[in-house]
Amino acid sequence: MNNKIRKFFEGRYGPDLLGRDLIFLALFISILNLFVKSKIVSWIPFVISLIVILRLISKNFPKRYNENRIYALWRQRMKTNTTDRLKFKYFRCKTCKQRVRVPRGKGKVTITCPKCRSKFDGKS
Ligand SMILES: [Zn+2]
């Protein structure tokens, strides 16, 4: 029996970051639906689980690997953006439209545009 299971999973893609996060997403939607109680929403975790299982047993390694790679890159970018937004506030120069980054929590500041050297006030 154990050998049969091992044989079945031989050459299959198996679990990855995307699969794991999709399970968390399905779980989150399931919990959310305890409050929303929508029939359509209740199908979403089922569909996600099905996708996860199909990816798990897939034999198309390059495709699954690439999906996971794209997801991992997107995830990293989102993570970086979130932490960046917590530390910095973004302003747009009124003269040249240059984007200017200022550390948060400094109160009212006079910002000098690094591109055109014009000054404007902002609240960080
Ligand atoms: Zn400027």
Side-chain angles (χ1 to χ4, degrees), residues 6-105:
R6 196 177 310 130
K7 254 289 186 285
F8 177 78
F9 279 103
E10 249 177 34
R12 307 270 180 182
Y13 183 67
D16 63 3
L17 181 73
L18 176 58
R20 191 200 69 184
D21 284 6
L22 281 174
I23 288 169
F24 279 125
L25 178 68
L27 212 68
F28 175 75
I29 293 170
S30 297
I31 292 165
L32 198 76
N33 201 41
L34 292 175
F35 305 99
V36 181
K37 291 188 171 105
S38 155
K39 230 181 185 123
I40 300 163
V41 174
S42 73
W43 274 92
I44 298 171
F46 177 75
V47 173
I48 292 172
S49 302
L50 196 71
I51 292 167
V52 170
I53 291 165
L54 289 175
R55 287 189 80 252
L56 207 71
I57 61 171
S58 171
K59 286 182 173 177
N60 192 344
F61 260 73
K63 203 167 183 184
R64 299 292 89 81
Y65 179 82
N66 203 38
E67 286 166 359
N68 188 56
R69 190 185 59 84
I70 290 166
Y71 171 69
L73 283 171
W74 175 82
R75 192 178 189 264
Q76 185 58 45
R77 203 173 303 135
M78 294 301 282
K79 208 171 166 184
T80 309
N81 272 351
T82 311
T83 50
D84 188 70
R85 294 271 173 189
L86 291 172
K87 287 178 186 164
F88 301 98
K89 191 167 180 180
Y90 285 86
F91 292 94
R92 181 92 40 200
C93 172
K94 281 151 185 97
T95 317
C96 71
K97 308 289 179 215
Q98 167 72 38
R99 208 162 75 128
V100 185
R101 194 177 78 163
V102 174
R104 280 188 184 275

